[in-house]
Amino acid sequence: MAGMGGSPSGGRTGHREAGMSDAPSLMRLELVSQPELLAPVRAMLTSLSERLGFDEVETGHLALAVDEALANVIRHGYDGATDGRIWISARVVDEPTRRLQIEIEDQGRQIDPAMIRPRDLDDVRPGGLGVHLMREVTDSCEFERRTPAGMRLVLEKSIPTSRSPGRRDNKAGTPENGTP
Amino acid sequence: MAGMGGSPSGGRTGHREAGMSDAPSLMRLELVSQPELLAPVRAMLTSLSERLGFDEVETGHLALAVDEALANVIRHGYDGATDGRIWISARVVDEPTRRLQIEIEDQGRQIDPAMIRPRDLDDVRPGGLGVHLMREVTDSCEFERRTPAGMRLVLEKSIPTSRSPGRRDNKAGTPENGTP
Amino acid sequence: MTSGNEMQIDVDRRDDLVVASPVGEIDLARSPSLRSRLGELLGEKPPRLIIDLSKVPYMDSSGVATLVEALQVSRSKNSTLVLAGMQDRVRSVFEIARLDTVFTIVADTATAIRDGS
Amino acid sequence: MTSGNEMQIDVDRRDDLVVASPVGEIDLARSPSLRSRLGELLGEKPPRLIIDLSKVPYMDSSGVATLVEALQVSRSKNSTLVLAGMQDRVRSVFEIARLDTVFTIVADTATAIRDGS
Ligand SMILES: Nc1ncnc2c1ncn2[C@@H]1O[C@H](COP(=O)(O)OP(=O)(O)O)[C@@H](O)[C@H]1O
Ligand SMILES: Nc1ncnc2c1ncn2[C@@H]1O[C@H](COP(=O)(O)OP(=O)(O)O)[C@@H](O)[C@H]1O
């Protein structure tokens, strides 16, 4: 299964950019820039991060960060056009610390990453909160220009190490653990 | 946004096979053949089909059909290896009737589609139910060999026309519809 | 693909107040629908508009922006806007956006009605 | 990626019966864990094993196969296996597989305990 030649999304593994880990993706999603698809993507990432051991709050934060990122691609990258393409990939990176890495790529408008920044929150007005929320709920949030077009955003969130959801309620010494 | 050249999953739109509609995909997912990813995929498809207007039972059936199909790819196509690739795409086809079409592709073992059939249910034994379930809960379920490797399965389920989830509880004549 | 974009909003009109209860997740797909319904309701210049968020399990910044705009419109119309019944996950978004002190936020609709805040 | 593969199963031992309550969706990732826990429990040769499915919102054919196997093992050990509290969506899978008459299926655990079926 090493070669990706002839696969429907051939060439995927040829795209390792600066900042991205070499770990293979668990999943890679291509979608059109329709706001209706944000809910399915959140549902998928919520389930994935629950399985990875994130708790409810962290899972909600991860879904929020990706939702905000995709909403920005749809609104700013593609100016609301619904036929743009967006790629989302998820991988688990173990070094230096275990974390979930989500990469979001588009082919839309490019912008200097330094220009993508949260606004002053004291100025209460509608909008301008997405980047602030993304930064607050992730451990890392890095934009860069893609070649030849569009933007790439890499979001990272540390995976809690100690929890194991499967055994959560089974304490040592209770009958259900004492089975021979 | 027409050309897909240079996109991370370049060449996608070049893959229109017999039996597949020309309608563009809403989403296309590439995943590794790990059973842990079945839950995230179900969550995504559940959310997508709710948004498309499927009711709870139909939504559950759709998720079940795709789950069974993926489980078979993992177990039979890849013999349980977790580094195989699987592609799932979802599109809405309008002609002749509006339906959700889910395509599942792999690069694993090939088998004569005529050999993939439900077993006699009167013989009660563990296993051998997946294909039967898939057929029962979808409107169409067609296997074919892919070129050069692996299998393709196209599942279809009709989209109910009359329901509109957004207005479900708002009846004409009630105050909330009488607003100027 | 459009059927899921319309926000279900249950509306209850009482003497001097309107209770609007959106049902479901509020994101970029649905906030335009929420925005236009709230605009309609505020157009009626209710003395008080209570937005019951108890059936909203998720809200992103497009939903928050819609509520900020509704707050501004309500002020221009001398309506009082109150957010009631916010779930924890939604409240955390308001806190991160530092809007939890900008809005009048109460535990539930009953409190909002009783307090006449 | 392994942390979510283990099925949480709460076990309650009473006089002549064991109640096993799996919690969560049962699919290809989790049915091996369910299979080994049920094998352990049946190894104790309980007169009755009640599997409480009230906290299982989803089951695919790998879960069904695991339960069919457990039924066969229970018979070989003269244990009585009862499925209790099945949610509608799970029941529909058993019906489509025409296994709803092969298993003893009761409304809830209390019924299973009382009836001594
Ligand atoms: N994907 C993107 N492509 C282009 N520009 C972006 C993108 N994401 C964010 N931006 C820029 O960053 C600014 C801040 O974004 P944000 O905090 O989400 O607020 P808002 O989108 O409401 O303006 C945007 O106004 C836009 O100029
Ligand atoms: N994706 C696939 N690739 C290869 N063979 C398959 C695939 N899906 C199903 N099959 C074949 O069809 C048979 C019936 O499948 P199913 O009804 O799911 O029962 P089970 O998988 O328990 O045997 C399998 O035993 C296998 O031989």
Side-chain angles (χ1 to χ4, degrees):
Chain A
M1 292 315 315
M4 291 286 298
S7 80
S9 63
R12 190 198 65 87
T13 50
H15 285 261
R16 282 292 144 258
E17 318 282 335
M20 291 302 302
S21 159
D22 278 340
S25 293
L26 290 170
M27 36 173 62
R28 180 170 182 86
L29 178 64
E30 175 186 282
L31 64 159
V32 292
S33 53
Q34 298 190 1
E36 295 86 336
L37 298 177
L38 295 179
V41 172
R42 287 196 304 273
M44 182 175 80
L45 290 173
T46 297
S47 172
L48 178 69
S49 46
E50 277 168 3
R51 293 259 165 165
L52 286 171
F54 287 106
D55 70 19
E56 221 186 292
V57 171
E58 293 159 340
T59 292
H61 282 171
L62 186 90
L64 177 66
V66 175
D67 174 298
E68 296 292 344
L70 295 177
N72 276 350
V73 170
I74 294 172
R75 292 186 308 133
H76 303 299
Y78 291 120
D79 276 327
T82 56
D83 62 348
R85 299 271 155 189
I86 307 174
W87 296 267
I88 305 167
S89 51
R91 63 173 60 78
V92 172
V93 180
D94 285 311
E95 299 298 332
T97 54
R98 190 168 153 79
R99 57 202 195 279
L100 177 60
Q101 193 180 63
I102 309 268
E103 180 190 24
I104 295 165
E105 296 169 282
D106 67 71
Q107 296 174 310
R109 172 179 305 130
Q110 293 195 323
I111 178 174
D112 178 357
M115 300 300 294
I116 304 182
R117 52 180 180 234
R119 67 167 168 84
D120 179 7
L121 294 187
D122 291 333
D123 169 25
V124 176
R125 57 173 176 82
L129 295 169
V131 171
H132 176 71
L133 289 173
M134 278 162 48
R135 296 230 167 122
E136 287 288 318
V137 300
T138 57
D139 295 315
S140 163
C141 168
E142 298 291 341
F143 288 91
E144 65 180 22
R145 288 197 179 90
R146 284 182 66 228
T147 318
M151 301 296 290
R152 169 182 298 107
L153 167 61
V154 181
L155 298 169
E156 293 190 347
K157 200 161 172 66
S158 294
I159 298 176
T161 46
S162 51
R163 283 172 238 141
S164 165
R167 289 278 167 170
R168 195 166 42 197
D169 295 346
N170 291 357
K171 301 198 180 51
T174 55
E176 57 267 42
N177 263 358
T179 321
Chain B
M1 291 313 318
M4 291 285 299
S7 80
S9 63
R12 192 199 64 88
T13 50
H15 285 263
R16 282 294 143 257
E17 317 283 334
M20 291 303 302
S21 159
D22 278 340
S25 293
L26 289 170
M27 36 174 62
R28 181 172 183 86
L29 178 65
E30 175 185 281
L31 63 159
V32 291
S33 53
Q34 297 191 0
E36 295 85 337
L37 299 177
L38 294 178
V41 173
R42 287 197 304 273
M44 182 174 79
L45 290 172
T46 297
S47 171
L48 179 68
S49 45
E50 276 168 4
R51 293 260 164 165
L52 286 170
F54 287 106
D55 71 18
E56 220 186 292
V57 171
E58 293 160 340
T59 291
H61 283 171
L62 187 90
L64 177 65
V66 175
D67 174 296
E68 296 291 344
L70 295 177
N72 277 349
V73 170
I74 294 172
R75 292 186 308 134
H76 303 300
Y78 291 120
D79 278 326
T82 56
D83 62 348
R85 298 271 155 189
I86 308 174
W87 296 268
I88 305 167
S89 50
R91 63 173 61 78
V92 173
V93 180
D94 285 312
E95 299 299 334
T97 53
R98 191 167 153 80
R99 58 203 193 280
L100 176 61
Q101 194 179 63
I102 309 268
E103 181 189 25
I104 295 165
E105 296 169 282
D106 67 72
Q107 295 174 312
R109 171 178 306 132
Q110 292 195 323
I111 179 174
D112 178 357
M115 301 300 294
I116 304 181
R117 50 179 180 235
R119 67 168 168 84
D120 178 7
L121 294 187
D122 291 335
D123 169 25
V124 175
R125 58 172 175 81
L129 295 170
V131 171
H132 176 72
L133 289 173
M134 277 162 49
R135 294 229 166 123
E136 288 287 317
V137 300
T138 56
D139 294 316
S140 163
C141 168
E142 299 289 342
F143 287 91
E144 65 180 23
R145 288 196 180 89
R146 284 182 67 228
T147 318
M151 301 296 291
R152 170 183 296 107
L153 167 61
V154 181
L155 298 169
E156 293 190 347
K157 200 160 173 67
S158 294
I159 299 176
T161 46
S162 52
R163 283 172 236 143
S164 167
R167 288 280 169 167
R168 197 165 40 199
D169 294 347
N170 291 358
K171 300 198 179 52
T174 54
E176 58 267 39
N177 263 357
T179 323
Chain C
M1 196 184 162
T2 50
S3 51
N5 283 355
E6 214 163 320
M7 187 95 226
Q8 180 191 332
I9 304 178
D10 299 332
V11 176
D12 181 14
R13 285 184 177 70
R14 309 202 181 185
D15 300 337
D16 65 338
L17 60 85
V18 171
V19 181
S21 309
V23 180
E25 302 190 329
I26 304 180
D27 64 9
L28 188 62
R30 284 184 174 155
S31 52
S33 157
L34 174 67
R35 182 174 182 275
S36 73
R37 289 312 299 290
L38 292 181
E40 284 167 15
L41 292 172
L42 285 166
E44 301 171 25
K45 303 193 185 186
R48 285 194 295 150
L49 174 61
I50 298 171
I51 304 181
D52 169 17
L53 294 172
S54 61
K55 291 179 188 135
V56 175
Y58 178 83
M59 193 186 299
D60 71 6
S61 73
S62 72
V64 173
T66 303
L67 294 180
V68 170
E69 189 186 345
L71 179 67
Q72 294 175 336
V73 172
S74 74
R75 285 174 179 164
S76 76
K77 307 219 183 251
N78 290 314
S79 287
T80 302
L81 188 136
V82 179
L83 305 182
M86 227 182 245
Q87 296 186 22
D88 285 349
R89 262 199 288 170
V90 173
R91 176 179 283 270
S92 119
V93 176
F94 277 78
E95 284 168 3
I96 300 171
R98 288 186 226 140
L99 288 167
D100 49 327
T101 53
V102 172
F103 283 91
T104 304
I105 299 177
V106 300
D108 49 39
T109 306
T111 308
I113 293 173
R114 193 187 57 226
D115 292 1
S117 50
Chain D
M1 196 184 162
T2 50
S3 51
N5 282 355
E6 214 164 319
M7 186 96 227
Q8 180 190 333
I9 303 178
D10 300 332
V11 176
D12 181 14
R13 285 185 177 71
R14 308 201 181 186
D15 301 337
D16 65 339
L17 60 85
V18 171
V19 181
S21 308
V23 181
E25 302 191 328
I26 303 180
D27 64 9
L28 187 63
R30 284 182 176 157
S31 51
S33 157
L34 174 66
R35 182 175 182 275
S36 75
R37 288 313 298 289
L38 292 181
E40 285 168 14
L41 292 172
L42 285 165
E44 301 172 25
K45 303 194 185 186
R48 286 192 296 150
L49 173 61
I50 299 171
I51 304 180
D52 170 16
L53 295 172
S54 61
K55 290 178 190 139
V56 175
Y58 178 84
M59 194 187 298
D60 72 6
S61 73
S62 72
V64 173
T66 302
L67 293 180
V68 169
E69 190 186 343
L71 179 67
Q72 293 174 337
V73 173
S74 74
R75 284 174 179 164
S76 76
K77 306 216 185 256
N78 290 315
S79 286
T80 302
L81 186 134
V82 179
L83 304 182
M86 227 182 244
Q87 296 187 21
D88 286 350
R89 262 200 287 171
V90 173
R91 177 179 281 271
S92 120
V93 176
F94 277 78
E95 285 167 2
I96 300 171
R98 289 186 225 141
L99 288 167
D100 49 327
T101 55
V102 171
F103 284 91
T104 303
I105 301 177
V106 300
D108 49 38
T109 305
T111 308
I113 293 172
R114 194 187 56 225
D115 291 1
S117 50

